[in-house]
Amino acid sequence: FDILRFPIFMLPQIINSIIEASISFERVRKFLLAEEYQHVGEGALEQNGEIYINNGTFVYDSKKPMLLEEEGEKKKGGIRGLMHQHSRLMREAELNQQWEMALLKAQLIDAENTIAKLSDTGNISSQSLLMDENEEGGEFSPSSLLSLRRVTMHVKKGEFVAVVGGVGAGKSTLINSILGEGRPLTGTELAVKGTLGTFVQSPFILNDTVRNNILFGHAPISKSGSKGGGGEAIDEERYKLAVEVSSLTHDFSLLPHGDQTEIGEKGITLSGGQKARVALARTVYHDADVYLLDDPLAAVDAHVGKDLFNRCIVDEMLLGKSKGKKSVERNATVILVTNALQYLSHEMVDKIICLGDGRVQEVGTFAELSSDPNSRFSAFLKVLSETSIGAMDNSGNDVDFNPEDDNMSANLDLGGEPEVSKVIAPAPTSPKRKMSIQSVDDAAGEGNIDDKAGALMTDEFKEREKGAVDRQVYISWSKAAGGLSVGLIILSMFAVVESLQVLSKWWLTHWSQSGVANVVFFLGMYALINFSAIFATFVRLLLFNFSGLRASKVMFDELLNTILHAPMAFFDTTPIGRIMNRFSKDMYTVDEQLVVSGRSYFQTMAAVLSSIVVTTSVTPKFIFGLIPLLFFYMHQQNFFTMTYRELKRLDSVSRSPIYALLSETLDGVLTIRAFGAEENLNKRMINMVNVQQTAYRLTFAAQCWLSIRLEFCGTMIVFVACFVSIIQHGARGGDEIFAGLAGLSISFALSITQSLNWTVRMASDLEANMVAVERIQQYSQIQSEAPRL
């Protein structure tokens, strides 16, 4: 029975682990089988900087309806499970087929509408699938399914193309389609040749220094995954140029540590204009053949926008004046999405594309489009003249803006605006502030800035607790589980179960010494004792598990309530990965692993105590050999627990940067692909995972170290028990009753080896898992904002 006890005890945990692994495997399998991103090819283009789209119709597959589980539907095992899985696959295939048919019908409707508009009569057959434009919005409506429709454009090297349109016209979709983010439908030809530099509508800012955000994809990384540590050489001249033309020089003088200042997650510590200019500087430093700019001037003031347009977009991106090129030569191709129409009269703008309802409605130069009073572009200009320019006139800038005036380009120059350096004057600073800025500038000149000088985020390695887990952490978990009364009941149930198990073994010994008389009585009592032990074990299991679930629920509610009421300064200095780590890995540990390790610890401890009591009661001299072995056990346990606990802390701390980088990567995947930074971020992620796995691997190495020593000590316990039994057997004169008791003692000594090994390991696991409670408590004690009024 002792041989079978431990495997049976571990069987439910193994089954649970297999179920969890199968669910995780299925989720990973679905992710790996998902459609891959396809880079846009070069086609037959010959020169870098060319873009070719012919009859381009693009769609976002995110609009595709998903197959949801029906209410009450559950996965079944065996043949029924396979049939259910097959049925679901068939339904998914049918749904995909319906989606593709809907896209084809939408294309057909759009094509027939176009044919009707181009025909002389405009009459449409009643048998046609055509849908009236005024009635769009149906199941197969082109405007509801197709993001871009029949776009044809050929941008040659060095051309400056402006894209304008209303909200939802498809401007950002055009940029995304060129980047390969939109799925081209049948008949679409798309080709791009050369490197890409892009500015997306919501700039992607990493939780890193300003410098590394500008050097995005080029910044060196260290073995730990952080900045610095060798790698690609940095072009300092190009970097300084990118900062200057993006109007960031003055901002660096205001930041506490210049370009070494750390930016919060998603650029939370920067203004919208600063984030836009950092992203523009990144685009300039990338030195691409094609620049795709999605409304980069929307987040900056008018005077800053003019400076960025002239110096950054025209002089540097388009003309490449820093490379010594002549004014007539073009450096790269620029596609600018903007609604700042006052810049479109610039002589370098080659053509303007007006989008509406996902289609190209007008194409031409500024003079051609503005001269037609019925054009959509003229309507945009009229709106602009009635809003922004009218407001400027009222403020003192005398600018005559008439859409029908042929000399509009002269009026749109917005001359007389002050330069950026004159408008953004340095704010008055105290002498102490001046000294601080001056000292940073001096350090920057000498190149001796400490990498951690501009750190904004708190260091979790320094924040973590050290040494043994505080007793208050155990008390807080016990209180959340139900308090002292529940704890006493659970401990008493452990004592009852262990007493019944000892009684069961003693009854067998007593039965074997009593002969075969009254077998029914002995067998009935033996069954009663064991059924009582099973029932008590079941009650103990329910009490412990429900108490553990109650504790995890209470701690989760407390943590959630604290985080929701935390001040904004906390989120400015705490990466989202650390918060996610508390709510995911740490809560999982409290939900499952802590309950299992706690229950196993008390169970094995009760088994060890009962084994010691039985063995010493039969052979009292056993205690003399047990005492030094117990001291050895305690020494090994303390040494192992101290190491194992710190390894668990390092494992938890090293997970947070992985979660944070993964979250940031998902937010900026479009920018990452456009700049070709996949390899750089992949190396950074691998380095982080290697650091985390080092701590995780060492936990297993520590367990192997412990098992070797505990097995040796367990063998010594069995040797002492046998040796003492032999000595006392001679003293008892071959007493048959003592022989049975000696066998009982040795059987308990054999079980004490496994029990002691498991007790030491569970004690270490319990304290290591208590680190999760410690980390949750750390965030549950954050000072909250002022109470609501």
Short mmCIF file of all heavy atoms in Angstrom, two decimals, residues 160 235 237-246 280-289 291 293 307-326 329-334 346 348:
data_model
loop_
_atom_site.label_atom_id
_atom_site.label_comp_id
_atom_site.label_asym_id
_atom_site.label_seq_id
_atom_site.Cartn_x
_atom_site.Cartn_y
_atom_site.Cartn_z
N PHE A 160 6.94 63.48 -55.20
CA PHE A 160 6.32 63.90 -53.95
C PHE A 160 4.81 63.88 -54.19
O PHE A 160 4.27 64.72 -54.90
CB PHE A 160 6.81 65.30 -53.57
CG PHE A 160 6.39 65.73 -52.19
CD1 PHE A 160 6.88 66.90 -51.64
CD2 PHE A 160 5.51 64.98 -51.41
CE1 PHE A 160 6.52 67.32 -50.38
CE2 PHE A 160 5.14 65.38 -50.14
CZ PHE A 160 5.64 66.55 -49.63
N ASP A 235 25.65 55.98 -36.80
CA ASP A 235 26.07 57.12 -37.61
C ASP A 235 25.71 58.39 -36.84
O ASP A 235 24.57 58.87 -36.89
CB ASP A 235 25.36 57.08 -38.97
CG ASP A 235 25.89 58.14 -39.93
OD1 ASP A 235 26.62 59.05 -39.49
OD2 ASP A 235 25.54 58.07 -41.14
N GLU A 237 26.61 61.50 -37.21
CA GLU A 237 26.26 62.67 -38.03
C GLU A 237 24.82 62.58 -38.49
O GLU A 237 24.08 63.57 -38.47
CB GLU A 237 27.22 62.75 -39.23
CG GLU A 237 28.66 63.05 -38.86
CD GLU A 237 28.81 64.40 -38.17
OE1 GLU A 237 28.06 65.34 -38.53
OE2 GLU A 237 29.65 64.51 -37.27
N ARG A 238 24.42 61.40 -38.92
CA ARG A 238 23.04 61.21 -39.36
C ARG A 238 22.08 61.40 -38.18
O ARG A 238 20.99 61.95 -38.33
CB ARG A 238 22.89 59.81 -39.95
CG ARG A 238 21.51 59.53 -40.56
CD ARG A 238 21.33 60.26 -41.87
NE ARG A 238 19.99 60.11 -42.41
CZ ARG A 238 19.54 60.77 -43.48
NH1 ARG A 238 20.34 61.62 -44.12
NH2 ARG A 238 18.32 60.59 -43.91
N TYR A 239 22.49 60.94 -37.02
CA TYR A 239 21.65 61.08 -35.83
C TYR A 239 21.45 62.55 -35.47
O TYR A 239 20.33 62.99 -35.20
CB TYR A 239 22.28 60.32 -34.67
CG TYR A 239 21.58 60.53 -33.34
CD1 TYR A 239 20.38 59.91 -33.06
CD2 TYR A 239 22.14 61.37 -32.38
CE1 TYR A 239 19.74 60.11 -31.86
CE2 TYR A 239 21.50 61.58 -31.17
CZ TYR A 239 20.30 60.95 -30.91
OH TYR A 239 19.67 61.16 -29.72
N LYS A 240 22.52 63.31 -35.47
CA LYS A 240 22.42 64.74 -35.15
C LYS A 240 21.55 65.46 -36.18
O LYS A 240 20.77 66.35 -35.84
CB LYS A 240 23.81 65.36 -35.09
CG LYS A 240 24.66 64.88 -33.92
CD LYS A 240 26.05 65.49 -33.95
CE LYS A 240 26.91 64.98 -32.78
NZ LYS A 240 28.29 65.54 -32.84
N LEU A 241 21.69 65.08 -37.44
CA LEU A 241 20.88 65.69 -38.50
C LEU A 241 19.40 65.37 -38.28
O LEU A 241 18.54 66.26 -38.39
CB LEU A 241 21.32 65.17 -39.86
CG LEU A 241 20.46 65.60 -41.05
CD1 LEU A 241 20.64 67.09 -41.32
CD2 LEU A 241 20.80 64.78 -42.29
N ALA A 242 19.08 64.12 -37.95
CA ALA A 242 17.69 63.73 -37.72
C ALA A 242 17.09 64.51 -36.56
O ALA A 242 15.93 64.94 -36.62
CB ALA A 242 17.60 62.23 -37.45
N VAL A 243 17.86 64.71 -35.51
CA VAL A 243 17.38 65.48 -34.36
C VAL A 243 17.15 66.93 -34.74
O VAL A 243 16.13 67.54 -34.37
CB VAL A 243 18.39 65.37 -33.20
CG1 VAL A 243 18.03 66.34 -32.08
CG2 VAL A 243 18.45 63.95 -32.68
N GLU A 244 18.05 67.49 -35.53
CA GLU A 244 17.96 68.91 -35.87
C GLU A 244 16.77 69.18 -36.79
O GLU A 244 15.99 70.11 -36.55
CB GLU A 244 19.26 69.36 -36.55
CG GLU A 244 19.28 70.84 -36.91
CD GLU A 244 20.57 71.25 -37.59
OE1 GLU A 244 21.49 70.41 -37.66
OE2 GLU A 244 20.64 72.39 -38.06
N VAL A 245 16.61 68.41 -37.85
CA VAL A 245 15.54 68.70 -38.81
C VAL A 245 14.17 68.35 -38.23
O VAL A 245 13.14 68.81 -38.76
CB VAL A 245 15.76 67.94 -40.13
CG1 VAL A 245 17.06 68.35 -40.77
CG2 VAL A 245 15.71 66.42 -39.93
N SER A 246 14.13 67.56 -37.15
CA SER A 246 12.86 67.23 -36.52
C SER A 246 12.52 68.18 -35.38
O SER A 246 11.58 67.93 -34.61
CB SER A 246 12.88 65.78 -35.98
OG SER A 246 13.14 64.87 -37.02
N LEU A 280 9.38 61.12 -36.44
CA LEU A 280 9.92 61.69 -37.67
C LEU A 280 11.44 61.59 -37.69
O LEU A 280 12.04 61.29 -38.73
CB LEU A 280 9.49 63.15 -37.81
CG LEU A 280 8.19 63.41 -38.56
CD1 LEU A 280 7.86 64.90 -38.55
CD2 LEU A 280 8.26 62.91 -40.00
N ALA A 281 12.08 61.86 -36.56
CA ALA A 281 13.54 61.73 -36.49
C ALA A 281 13.97 60.30 -36.75
O ALA A 281 14.98 60.05 -37.41
CB ALA A 281 14.02 62.19 -35.11
N ARG A 282 13.21 59.35 -36.25
CA ARG A 282 13.49 57.93 -36.52
C ARG A 282 13.42 57.65 -38.02
O ARG A 282 14.27 56.95 -38.59
CB ARG A 282 12.50 57.06 -35.77
CG ARG A 282 12.53 55.60 -36.13
CD ARG A 282 11.27 54.91 -35.67
NE ARG A 282 11.10 55.01 -34.24
CZ ARG A 282 9.94 54.87 -33.61
NH1 ARG A 282 8.85 54.62 -34.30
NH2 ARG A 282 9.86 54.97 -32.30
N THR A 283 12.40 58.22 -38.68
CA THR A 283 12.23 58.01 -40.12
C THR A 283 13.38 58.63 -40.91
O THR A 283 13.88 58.03 -41.87
CB THR A 283 10.88 58.61 -40.58
OG1 THR A 283 9.84 58.12 -39.75
CG2 THR A 283 10.60 58.25 -42.02
N VAL A 284 13.82 59.82 -40.48
CA VAL A 284 14.94 60.48 -41.16
C VAL A 284 16.22 59.67 -40.99
O VAL A 284 16.98 59.46 -41.95
CB VAL A 284 15.13 61.91 -40.63
CG1 VAL A 284 16.40 62.53 -41.19
CG2 VAL A 284 13.92 62.77 -40.98
N TYR A 285 16.48 59.18 -39.78
CA TYR A 285 17.71 58.43 -39.53
C TYR A 285 17.73 57.13 -40.35
O TYR A 285 18.79 56.67 -40.76
CB TYR A 285 17.83 58.09 -38.04
CG TYR A 285 19.10 57.34 -37.71
CD1 TYR A 285 20.29 58.02 -37.51
CD2 TYR A 285 19.11 55.96 -37.63
CE1 TYR A 285 21.47 57.34 -37.24
CE2 TYR A 285 20.27 55.26 -37.36
CZ TYR A 285 21.45 55.96 -37.16
OH TYR A 285 22.61 55.28 -36.90
N HIS A 286 16.57 56.57 -40.61
CA HIS A 286 16.50 55.31 -41.36
C HIS A 286 17.00 55.47 -42.79
O HIS A 286 17.45 54.48 -43.39
CB HIS A 286 15.06 54.79 -41.36
CG HIS A 286 14.92 53.38 -41.79
ND1 HIS A 286 15.51 52.32 -41.13
CD2 HIS A 286 14.27 52.82 -42.85
CE1 HIS A 286 15.22 51.19 -41.74
NE2 HIS A 286 14.48 51.47 -42.79
N ASP A 287 16.91 56.69 -43.35
CA ASP A 287 17.45 57.01 -44.69
C ASP A 287 16.93 56.01 -45.72
O ASP A 287 17.68 55.25 -46.34
CB ASP A 287 18.98 57.00 -44.65
CG ASP A 287 19.57 57.66 -45.91
OD1 ASP A 287 18.83 58.36 -46.62
OD2 ASP A 287 20.77 57.46 -46.18
N ALA A 288 15.60 56.03 -45.92
CA ALA A 288 14.95 55.05 -46.79
C ALA A 288 14.86 55.56 -48.23
O ALA A 288 15.14 56.73 -48.53
CB ALA A 288 13.57 54.73 -46.25
N ASP A 289 14.44 54.67 -49.13
CA ASP A 289 14.18 55.03 -50.52
C ASP A 289 12.76 55.53 -50.72
O ASP A 289 12.48 56.28 -51.65
CB ASP A 289 14.42 53.81 -51.43
CG ASP A 289 15.85 53.32 -51.36
OD1 ASP A 289 16.77 54.16 -51.45
OD2 ASP A 289 16.06 52.10 -51.21
N TYR A 291 9.44 57.09 -48.41
CA TYR A 291 8.93 57.58 -47.14
C TYR A 291 7.40 57.62 -47.22
O TYR A 291 6.83 58.28 -48.09
CB TYR A 291 9.46 58.98 -46.82
CG TYR A 291 10.94 59.00 -46.51
CD1 TYR A 291 11.87 59.42 -47.47
CD2 TYR A 291 11.42 58.61 -45.27
CE1 TYR A 291 13.22 59.45 -47.18
CE2 TYR A 291 12.78 58.63 -44.98
CZ TYR A 291 13.67 59.05 -45.95
OH TYR A 291 15.01 59.08 -45.66
N LEU A 293 4.35 58.78 -45.05
CA LEU A 293 4.07 59.64 -43.90
C LEU A 293 2.57 59.80 -43.75
O LEU A 293 1.91 60.40 -44.60
CB LEU A 293 4.74 61.01 -44.09
CG LEU A 293 6.23 60.99 -44.46
CD1 LEU A 293 6.75 62.39 -44.67
CD2 LEU A 293 7.05 60.27 -43.40
N ASP A 307 7.98 74.33 -40.21
CA ASP A 307 9.41 74.04 -40.13
C ASP A 307 9.69 72.58 -40.48
O ASP A 307 10.65 72.27 -41.19
CB ASP A 307 9.92 74.36 -38.73
CG ASP A 307 11.42 74.28 -38.62
OD1 ASP A 307 12.11 75.18 -39.14
OD2 ASP A 307 11.93 73.29 -38.05
N LEU A 308 8.84 71.66 -39.97
CA LEU A 308 9.02 70.24 -40.28
C LEU A 308 8.80 69.96 -41.76
O LEU A 308 9.53 69.17 -42.37
CB LEU A 308 8.05 69.40 -39.44
CG LEU A 308 8.30 69.33 -37.94
CD1 LEU A 308 7.19 68.56 -37.25
CD2 LEU A 308 9.64 68.71 -37.62
N PHE A 309 7.81 70.60 -42.35
CA PHE A 309 7.53 70.38 -43.76
C PHE A 309 8.70 70.83 -44.63
O PHE A 309 9.12 70.10 -45.54
CB PHE A 309 6.26 71.12 -44.16
CG PHE A 309 5.87 70.92 -45.60
CD1 PHE A 309 5.17 69.79 -46.00
CD2 PHE A 309 6.22 71.85 -46.56
CE1 PHE A 309 4.82 69.60 -47.33
CE2 PHE A 309 5.89 71.67 -47.90
CZ PHE A 309 5.19 70.54 -48.28
N ASN A 310 9.23 72.01 -44.34
CA ASN A 310 10.29 72.56 -45.18
C ASN A 310 11.62 71.86 -44.95
O ASN A 310 12.28 71.42 -45.90
CB ASN A 310 10.43 74.07 -44.93
CG ASN A 310 9.24 74.84 -45.46
OD1 ASN A 310 8.63 74.47 -46.46
ND2 ASN A 310 8.88 75.92 -44.78
N ARG A 311 12.04 71.76 -43.70
CA ARG A 311 13.39 71.26 -43.40
C ARG A 311 13.46 69.74 -43.38
O ARG A 311 14.44 69.16 -43.85
CB ARG A 311 13.87 71.82 -42.07
CG ARG A 311 13.97 73.34 -42.02
CD ARG A 311 14.52 73.79 -40.69
NE ARG A 311 15.85 73.26 -40.47
CZ ARG A 311 16.40 73.09 -39.26
NH1 ARG A 311 15.69 73.39 -38.17
NH2 ARG A 311 17.62 72.62 -39.13
N CYS A 312 12.43 69.10 -42.80
CA CYS A 312 12.49 67.64 -42.62
C CYS A 312 11.97 66.90 -43.86
O CYS A 312 12.69 66.09 -44.45
CB CYS A 312 11.67 67.24 -41.39
SG CYS A 312 11.71 65.48 -41.02
N ILE A 313 10.74 67.22 -44.26
CA ILE A 313 10.11 66.44 -45.35
C ILE A 313 10.69 66.81 -46.71
O ILE A 313 11.08 65.94 -47.50
CB ILE A 313 8.59 66.64 -45.32
CG1 ILE A 313 8.01 66.11 -44.00
CG2 ILE A 313 7.93 65.93 -46.50
CD1 ILE A 313 6.52 66.34 -43.83
N VAL A 314 10.77 68.13 -46.99
CA VAL A 314 11.21 68.55 -48.33
C VAL A 314 12.73 68.52 -48.45
O VAL A 314 13.30 67.83 -49.31
CB VAL A 314 10.67 69.96 -48.66
CG1 VAL A 314 11.22 70.44 -49.99
CG2 VAL A 314 9.14 69.94 -48.68
N ASP A 315 13.42 69.26 -47.56
CA ASP A 315 14.87 69.41 -47.71
C ASP A 315 15.62 68.11 -47.47
O ASP A 315 16.55 67.78 -48.21
CB ASP A 315 15.38 70.49 -46.75
CG ASP A 315 14.93 71.88 -47.17
OD1 ASP A 315 14.42 72.01 -48.30
OD2 ASP A 315 15.06 72.82 -46.37
N GLU A 316 15.22 67.34 -46.45
CA GLU A 316 16.00 66.16 -46.10
C GLU A 316 15.46 64.88 -46.73
O GLU A 316 16.18 64.17 -47.42
CB GLU A 316 16.07 65.99 -44.58
CG GLU A 316 16.99 64.86 -44.12
CD GLU A 316 18.37 64.97 -44.75
OE1 GLU A 316 18.91 66.09 -44.84
OE2 GLU A 316 18.90 63.92 -45.18
N MET A 317 14.18 64.58 -46.50
CA MET A 317 13.64 63.33 -47.05
C MET A 317 13.58 63.36 -48.58
O MET A 317 14.04 62.43 -49.25
CB MET A 317 12.24 63.08 -46.48
CG MET A 317 12.20 62.77 -45.01
SD MET A 317 10.51 62.37 -44.49
CE MET A 317 10.76 62.12 -42.72
N LEU A 318 13.00 64.42 -49.14
CA LEU A 318 12.78 64.46 -50.58
C LEU A 318 14.06 64.80 -51.34
O LEU A 318 14.44 64.11 -52.29
CB LEU A 318 11.69 65.48 -50.90
CG LEU A 318 11.32 65.62 -52.38
CD1 LEU A 318 10.68 64.33 -52.89
CD2 LEU A 318 10.39 66.80 -52.60
N LEU A 319 14.75 65.88 -50.91
CA LEU A 319 15.91 66.37 -51.67
C LEU A 319 17.24 65.84 -51.16
O LEU A 319 18.21 65.80 -51.92
CB LEU A 319 15.92 67.90 -51.65
CG LEU A 319 14.66 68.59 -52.23
CD1 LEU A 319 14.79 70.11 -52.11
CD2 LEU A 319 14.46 68.18 -53.69
N GLY A 320 17.30 65.46 -49.89
CA GLY A 320 18.56 64.96 -49.33
C GLY A 320 19.67 65.98 -49.40
O GLY A 320 20.79 65.67 -49.81
N LYS A 321 19.39 67.22 -48.96
CA LYS A 321 20.39 68.28 -49.05
C LYS A 321 21.62 68.00 -48.20
O LYS A 321 22.70 68.49 -48.49
CB LYS A 321 19.76 69.62 -48.66
CG LYS A 321 18.78 70.16 -49.70
CD LYS A 321 18.30 71.56 -49.33
CE LYS A 321 17.40 72.14 -50.43
NZ LYS A 321 16.93 73.50 -50.11
N SER A 322 21.46 67.26 -47.13
CA SER A 322 22.62 66.96 -46.28
C SER A 322 23.64 66.09 -47.00
O SER A 322 24.80 66.03 -46.60
CB SER A 322 22.16 66.25 -45.00
OG SER A 322 21.59 64.99 -45.33
N LYS A 323 23.22 65.43 -48.07
CA LYS A 323 24.13 64.58 -48.84
C LYS A 323 24.83 65.36 -49.95
O LYS A 323 25.54 64.77 -50.77
CB LYS A 323 23.35 63.40 -49.45
CG LYS A 323 22.68 62.53 -48.41
CD LYS A 323 21.89 61.41 -49.06
CE LYS A 323 21.17 60.55 -48.03
NZ LYS A 323 20.38 59.48 -48.65
N GLY A 324 24.60 66.68 -50.00
CA GLY A 324 25.26 67.51 -51.00
C GLY A 324 24.64 67.45 -52.37
O GLY A 324 25.27 67.82 -53.36
N LYS A 325 23.38 66.98 -52.47
CA LYS A 325 22.74 66.89 -53.77
C LYS A 325 22.23 68.27 -54.20
O LYS A 325 21.92 69.13 -53.38
CB LYS A 325 21.58 65.89 -53.72
CG LYS A 325 22.03 64.46 -53.48
CD LYS A 325 20.88 63.50 -53.65
CE LYS A 325 21.36 62.06 -53.50
NZ LYS A 325 20.28 61.08 -53.74
N LYS A 326 22.12 68.43 -55.49
CA LYS A 326 21.62 69.69 -56.03
C LYS A 326 20.11 69.76 -55.81
O LYS A 326 19.44 68.77 -55.61
CB LYS A 326 21.95 69.79 -57.52
CG LYS A 326 23.44 69.77 -57.81
CD LYS A 326 23.69 69.84 -59.31
CE LYS A 326 25.20 69.80 -59.60
NZ LYS A 326 25.47 69.84 -61.05
N GLU A 329 17.83 67.58 -57.94
CA GLU A 329 17.88 66.13 -57.77
C GLU A 329 16.99 65.71 -56.61
O GLU A 329 16.87 66.41 -55.61
CB GLU A 329 19.32 65.66 -57.53
CG GLU A 329 20.24 65.89 -58.71
CD GLU A 329 21.64 65.37 -58.44
OE1 GLU A 329 21.83 64.72 -57.39
OE2 GLU A 329 22.53 65.59 -59.27
N ARG A 330 16.40 64.56 -56.76
CA ARG A 330 15.53 64.02 -55.72
C ARG A 330 16.24 62.86 -55.02
O ARG A 330 16.86 62.01 -55.66
CB ARG A 330 14.20 63.55 -56.31
CG ARG A 330 13.40 64.65 -57.01
CD ARG A 330 12.87 65.67 -56.03
NE ARG A 330 12.04 66.68 -56.68
CZ ARG A 330 10.70 66.63 -56.75
NH1 ARG A 330 10.06 65.62 -56.23
NH2 ARG A 330 10.04 67.61 -57.34
N ASN A 331 16.12 62.83 -53.69
CA ASN A 331 16.79 61.81 -52.89
C ASN A 331 15.93 60.56 -52.74
O ASN A 331 16.43 59.44 -52.78
CB ASN A 331 17.12 62.38 -51.51
CG ASN A 331 17.65 61.32 -50.56
OD1 ASN A 331 18.69 60.73 -50.83
ND2 ASN A 331 16.95 61.07 -49.47
N ALA A 332 14.63 60.75 -52.54
CA ALA A 332 13.74 59.62 -52.27
C ALA A 332 12.32 59.98 -52.68
O ALA A 332 12.01 61.12 -53.01
CB ALA A 332 13.79 59.23 -50.79
N THR A 333 11.46 58.96 -52.64
CA THR A 333 10.04 59.15 -52.92
C THR A 333 9.31 59.42 -51.62
O THR A 333 9.57 58.77 -50.60
CB THR A 333 9.47 57.89 -53.59
OG1 THR A 333 10.21 57.61 -54.77
CG2 THR A 333 8.00 58.06 -53.93
N VAL A 334 8.39 60.37 -51.65
CA VAL A 334 7.63 60.74 -50.46
C VAL A 334 6.15 60.69 -50.78
O VAL A 334 5.69 61.29 -51.76
CB VAL A 334 8.01 62.15 -49.95
CG1 VAL A 334 7.14 62.54 -48.76
CG2 VAL A 334 9.48 62.22 -49.58
N HIS A 346 3.19 73.85 -52.44
CA HIS A 346 4.65 73.89 -52.55
C HIS A 346 5.07 73.38 -53.93
O HIS A 346 4.49 72.44 -54.48
CB HIS A 346 5.28 73.04 -51.45
CG HIS A 346 6.73 73.32 -51.23
ND1 HIS A 346 7.71 72.87 -52.08
CD2 HIS A 346 7.37 74.02 -50.25
CE1 HIS A 346 8.89 73.26 -51.64
NE2 HIS A 346 8.71 73.96 -50.52
N MET A 348 7.43 71.62 -54.85
CA MET A 348 7.96 70.27 -54.91
C MET A 348 6.88 69.18 -54.90
O MET A 348 7.16 68.02 -55.16
CB MET A 348 8.92 70.02 -53.73
CG MET A 348 10.21 70.79 -53.83
SD MET A 348 11.15 70.26 -55.29
CE MET A 348 12.53 71.43 -55.24
#
